[in-house]
Amino acid sequence: MSGLFSTFNIATRGMSAQQKALDVTSHNIANANTDGYSRQKANLETTRPFDMPSMNNAMGSGQLGTGVQVSSITRIRDSYLDYQVRTQNGTKGSSEGREKFLTEIEGVFNELSGTGISTLVDNVFNSWQALSGSPEVASTRNVVAQQSKALTDQLNSTYNQLVKLKGNSQDVIKQDVVDVNNMLNQINELNKQVIGVKVGGNEPNDLMDKRDLLIDQLSVKFGITIDKKSLSGEDLKPTDIGDMTNAYLVKSDPNDKVSRFSYVNSIVPKAVPPASTVQKPGDAGSYDVTYYKNGDTSTDANKVTITMDLTSAQYTSLDQSRVLWADSDGNAIKTDGSLIVAGDAFNDLALFIPKTGELNGYMSVQADIDVYIDQLNSLAKGIAFSVNAVESGESDASNDTLEFFVNGEDKTKEQDITAGNITVNQDIINDVMKIKVGVNDTTGSTDGNRALAIADLRDVKLDIQSIKPTTTRAEFLSGKFNVDATLGVSTISSSSNGMTIGGYFTNTVNDLAVKTQTATRNVTNNESLLASLEESRSSISGVSLDEEMANMIQYQHAYQANAKIISTVDELLDLIINGLKK
């Protein structure tokens, strides 16, 4: 019904609605710099009018409005831009993960300084060249020994730093597993709260913002897929699920099972006495695989060890990925969701290997580190085999009584030389006159032909790229070791498909430089694209202080106008009530 009291109620509703709109504006301004906050809007609509049309009042004057109310407070969000940003987050995360460690590998090789391996290789051959000119001088022999020792020390240091760097990348993966599981638990709790608020008929805008921010952060780790459910619930799973039957990490239904991730902390060869040979990491054999539930290494209660047989390829796959699918308690599971138990094989393990995100970058860079370690080992073996063969005149290590380069861990096992254990024979360092430099293979020979033949090795193309961990000197030199008619000593002939020692290492460094430049370029491009997407999203969801100030003035004026109506109605009521007494 109409009347002054009806007008009074309309104005009261108007003041209340404008006040709520001011509250929303104030909330927007307060969170203008809050990460993940989405601008909110108070949606105003008219309240139910009087005199709804019916058969009884068809001839009436029509509906009479009763004012305004806030129908809802919604957040401004574009789900498609969210999808694009999260997809780009994964791409950028992968590039950044690779670039971070590839840059560190470049620092390990240190080729821009004067102490890099390339420089030291040149110094070694230069010292042999100088020795060929004055083989009778002890000081030139000492220079050969010390320059060679400097090279092996640098090879040892580079190898150990690469191994440490690989361990660092695995530590980052372990921390990412912990962070991912924590984020998933938070998202799951927020999911429940969002649904609870929606059931009550309200809009959980701030809760959904917090959930979206966590999902944005999660998308940096790996690609994600989101299924929208009723009451604003969300089901979340990785984009790359492999053969997993239940790949969901978050479910809107609290009764549904979800998965988590666990971290493989160590893969140790299992000693099975009596052992005729020592099983090295990477060899096919039996291993103790130890993982920690949810990546939490703070207590041994989370430690689980499984014994299984691994091929060399399976060892490499497990070593480079390290992340296992697990149930909500962190127990490793198979692809069908059942638990891994004693006696299960490698193929029963469900490895999580994403194709995008930081985890992908950290996993893929381990393969690069392994390649550079292998190439460094091949370089060390190539140097040792070739110098030892010419210096001793023997193509078979079993006939060499005084090797120049030896395995520092066991000098009787030249075939096991790596960049990590290569060193100069201590007997030669103690007595440099034992270095064989002349045609006569005795240490007392004073002509420099043998030293010259070793110096000439810098230009010989060797099959270094074909060296394997099990390659022996005899296999390496097969068909290529013969007497040089000019020098009168045994030397190595070039291989048509071979590479010089310097060229081989230069090729390794150049390959690293190309990969690093590619990763850096990808990071720059991805950052630019992500910045553009985030700017587009911010233009929609972000808070504009100018716009909020304009809204504030608009709501303020509307509030004042409604207050003026109440004041006017008050005067009219006073006139009616008190004026009629006169």
Side-chain angles (χ1 to χ4, degrees):
M1 58 180 295
S2 60
L4 291 177
F5 284 106
S6 175
T7 306
F8 184 89
N9 288 332
I10 291 174
T12 301
R13 292 192 187 98
M15 289 183 65
S16 177
Q18 305 307 321
Q19 181 179 341
K20 286 184 180 179
L22 278 170
D23 288 342
V24 173
T25 299
S26 177
H27 188 53
N28 286 339
I29 293 173
N31 288 279
N33 297 315
T34 301
D35 288 340
Y37 180 78
S38 302
R39 176 170 58 91
Q40 296 181 13
K41 179 183 179 182
N43 297 311
L44 304 179
E45 69 175 12
T46 57
T47 54
R48 181 181 179 87
F50 289 129
D51 296 330
M52 294 296 290
S54 67
M55 293 295 295
N56 297 328
N57 65 357
M59 300 301 293
S61 58
Q63 294 181 330
L64 182 63
T66 58
V68 66
Q69 66 180 2
V70 176
S71 62
S72 63
I73 300 173
T74 58
R75 62 180 191 145
I76 310 301
R77 196 88 182 188
D78 189 321
S79 58
Y80 179 65
L81 281 174
D82 283 340
Y83 167 78
Q84 288 185 304
V85 167
R86 289 163 186 166
T87 300
Q88 193 59 35
N89 273 341
T91 305
K92 177 173 173 284
S94 178
S95 299
E96 286 183 333
R98 285 186 57 77
E99 194 241 4
K100 169 182 169 62
F101 281 97
L102 289 173
T103 301
E104 292 190 39
I105 296 172
E106 278 194 321
V108 167
F109 279 113
N110 197 28
E111 284 305 300
L112 295 179
S113 71
T115 58
I117 291 175
S118 294
T119 300
L120 294 177
V121 168
D122 285 340
N123 291 345
V124 168
F125 287 123
N126 289 339
S127 67
W128 281 102
Q129 185 78 40
L131 179 59
S132 68
S134 52
E136 73 286 349
V137 182
S139 61
T140 55
R141 292 170 178 256
N142 188 61
V143 170
V144 168
Q146 294 306 317
Q147 290 289 2
S148 299
K149 187 65 167 61
L151 172 60
T152 59
D153 286 348
Q154 185 61 35
L155 286 170
N156 297 163
S157 175
T158 302
Y159 175 91
N160 291 331
Q161 289 183 70
L162 287 176
V163 170
K164 182 179 179 180
L165 196 59
K166 183 178 179 181
N168 292 343
S169 69
Q170 292 172 349
D171 287 341
V172 176
I173 291 175
K174 176 175 65 178
Q175 187 57 51
D176 269 0
V177 169
V178 174
D179 292 342
V180 164
N181 286 327
N182 287 337
M183 282 189 282
L184 291 173
N185 291 336
Q186 294 179 60
I187 293 170
N188 188 60
E189 288 302 314
L190 286 168
N191 219 24
K192 294 178 183 177
Q193 294 175 32
V194 166
I195 294 173
V197 172
K198 289 290 286 188
V199 168
N202 296 313
E203 290 292 332
N205 296 318
D206 292 336
L207 291 175
M208 289 192 289
D209 281 344
K210 290 180 181 179
R211 185 179 63 183
D212 281 337
L213 179 59
L214 282 169
I215 292 175
D216 285 349
Q217 295 169 353
L218 185 65
S219 68
V220 176
K221 307 298 183 183
F222 53 84
I224 56 176
T225 300
I226 298 174
D227 294 337
K228 301 288 185 180
K229 298 297 181 180
S230 61
L231 299 174
S232 296
E234 293 183 347
D235 291 353
L236 187 151
K237 62 182 178 181
T239 302
D240 307 302
I241 63 174
D243 297 326
M244 287 298 298
T245 55
N246 179 24
Y248 283 100
L249 306 174
V250 174
K251 292 284 284 184
S252 55
D253 187 339
N255 297 318
D256 288 345
K257 290 183 178 180
V258 294
S259 298
R260 290 291 181 268
F261 301 111
S262 291
Y263 175 76
V264 175
N265 192 64
S266 63
I267 313 168
V268 181
K270 186 173 179 62
V272 184
S276 58
T277 59
V278 177
Q279 179 183 332
K280 299 190 292 273
D283 292 344
S286 181
Y287 288 85
D288 284 335
V289 178
T290 299
Y291 73 88
Y292 279 85
K293 298 177 182 180
N294 297 319
D296 183 4
T297 59
S298 61
T299 172
D300 282 346
N302 294 325
K303 184 178 178 181
V304 180
T305 299
I306 306 170
T307 299
M308 60 176 55
D309 293 333
L310 300 175
T311 65
S312 180
Q314 289 171 342
Y315 174 91
T316 299
S317 178
L318 185 58
D319 181 49
Q320 292 176 358
S321 61
R322 297 275 171 165
V323 183
L324 302 177
W325 282 92
D327 63 13
S328 56
D329 295 321
N331 299 300
I333 59 176
K334 303 176 184 179
T335 55
D336 63 1
S338 60
L339 296 180
I340 292 289
V341 296
D344 284 335
F346 171 81
N347 292 332
D348 293 316
L349 288 175
L351 295 180
F352 178 56
I353 307 177
K355 296 180 181 178
T356 61
E358 281 184 0
L359 284 174
N360 167 265
Y362 298 143
M363 290 176 183
S364 65
V365 82
Q366 287 186 76
D368 293 306
I369 294 175
D370 283 343
V371 167
Y372 294 129
I373 289 176
D374 288 344
Q375 291 179 349
L376 206 62
N377 289 339
S378 296
L379 177 70
K381 265 194 175 183
I383 293 173
F385 287 167
S386 56
V387 172
N388 286 353
V390 176
E391 205 267 346
S392 66
E394 299 289 347
S395 62
D396 192 328
S398 61
N399 299 324
D400 194 343
T401 58
L402 187 67
E403 296 171 343
F404 187 87
F405 289 109
V406 296
N407 178 343
E409 297 170 352
D410 185 349
K411 68 178 184 179
T412 65
K413 295 182 177 180
E414 183 193 60
Q415 72 274 13
D416 291 333
I417 282 179
T418 67
N421 61 35
I422 187 173
T423 188
V424 178
N425 195 321
Q426 189 62 41
D427 293 338
I428 289 177
I429 292 178
N430 293 339
D431 183 5
V432 295
M433 296 307 294
K434 291 183 177 180
I435 299 175
K436 300 174 186 178
V437 297
V439 173
N440 190 336
D441 63 1
T442 63
T443 57
S445 179
T446 56
D447 71 88
N449 286 11
R450 193 178 299 272
L452 182 59
I454 294 176
D456 289 344
L457 287 176
R458 82 166 82 206
D459 298 320
V460 175
K461 294 182 178 180
L462 305 170
D463 288 325
I464 302 179
Q465 68 275 14
S466 66
I467 292 178
K468 301 292 188 296
T470 56
T471 301
T472 64
R473 187 200 300 184
E475 292 170 343
F476 178 65
L477 298 177
S478 178
K480 303 179 183 63
F481 195 64
N482 45 61
V483 176
D484 185 289
T486 302
L487 297 177
V489 297
S490 295
T491 188
I492 304 171
S493 57
S494 288
S495 171
S496 58
N497 297 321
M499 304 174 71
T500 64
I501 291 173
Y504 178 79
F505 185 70
T506 299
N507 185 67
T508 298
V509 173
N510 289 341
D511 177 75
L512 172 60
V514 170
K515 287 183 177 178
T516 305
Q517 290 172 0
T518 299
T520 301
R521 183 172 59 253
N522 288 340
V523 168
T524 301
N525 293 340
N526 289 327
E527 283 179 343
S528 177
L529 179 55
L530 182 60
S532 176
L533 291 172
E534 287 181 335
E535 183 178 355
S536 297
R537 185 167 69 170
S538 179
S539 67
I540 295 173
S541 300
V543 175
S544 168
L545 292 178
D546 290 339
E547 182 179 349
E548 297 303 326
M549 292 296 291
N551 289 339
M552 182 181 67
I553 294 173
Q554 178 183 351
Y555 298 141
Q556 176 191 5
H557 288 172
Y559 187 92
Q560 290 173 338
N562 281 286
K564 182 63 176 176
I565 291 175
I566 291 176
S567 175
T568 301
V569 170
D570 179 63
E571 292 177 2
L572 293 175
L573 288 173
D574 179 69
L575 175 62
I576 293 172
I577 296 171
N578 297 319
L580 293 177
K581 294 179 180 179
K582 299 178 181 179

